[in-house]
Amino acid sequence: SPLIVPQNASITLDLAGHALDRGLRDETNEGYVMKVRGKLTVIDSGAKNRGRITGGYNSGDGGAIVVEKNGTLSLEGGSLYGNRSSGNGGAVYAHSGGSFDMSGGRIEKNSCDGNGGGICIKGGAFELYGGEIRDNVSEENGGAIVDVHGEVVLLDGTVAGNTAGNTGGGLYVIQGTLEMGGASVEDNRALYGGGAYLSKSSFSMRD
């Protein structure tokens, strides 16, 4: 069963170089690794930063971590690696009112049959301050990140090598907002909009 961070709880998970592995090979109802209703901070004190959250295979949205309304996820170290969803958000799915910020670590080699091979933000918020979002795959849109009615801010870090089967190899933003700073978006692939694709959305640059 998935691990739950309860509402009003604040938990720091130190992977310490180890794997938190759900071990699923077939799609499973509630097949994600963790659900966040309170606040979860993921760090990795291991000397080689090899800690990972892996092995999720959800029949719905969110392969590794699902962030519910009013939940907060912070990734500072370690990786979300090799998770899968049959819906949206191969690694992370954030519901409306949920938030996710990333200042280190990696989101790598996750996949989904829908939108957002790495991350799907639906009415929530995502901020990237560091780390890498790399080599994720979506069958539809947004190889790395999908933003639907939400807010995405990319100030630092790297979004690279991600692939979408249709639109937005790096990012796909629909009726949302995208703010760019010093983050690198490179070598992403899609049928349309290899780097990013925005529809009915706002875009701004920060110095």
Side-chain angles (χ1 to χ4, degrees), residues 80-103:
L80 309 181
Y81 181 90
N83 302 280
R84 183 174 177 182
S85 79
S86 297
N88 305 303
V92 176
Y93 183 86
H95 288 272
S96 178
S99 66
F100 173 30
D101 64 82
M102 180 176 176
S103 58

Side-chain angles (χ1 to χ4, degrees), residues 75 100-105 107 119 126-133 145 152-159 179 181-185:
L75 180 62
F100 173 30
D101 64 82
M102 180 176 176
S103 58
I107 297 177
I119 303 163
F126 172 63
E127 297 183 355
L128 179 65
Y129 300 103
E132 298 182 356
I133 305 172
I145 304 166
V152 169
V153 179
L154 306 180
L155 297 181
D156 203 350
T158 301
V159 180
E179 182 178 354
S184 174
V185 179

Side-chain angles (χ1 to χ4, degrees), residues 5-6 15 49 56 60 88 107 110 115 121 128 155 181 203-204 207:
V5 177
L15 295 170
N49 199 34
N88 305 303
I107 297 177
N110 304 280
N115 303 295
I121 304 296
L128 179 65
L155 297 181
F203 173 74
S204 61
D207 294 334

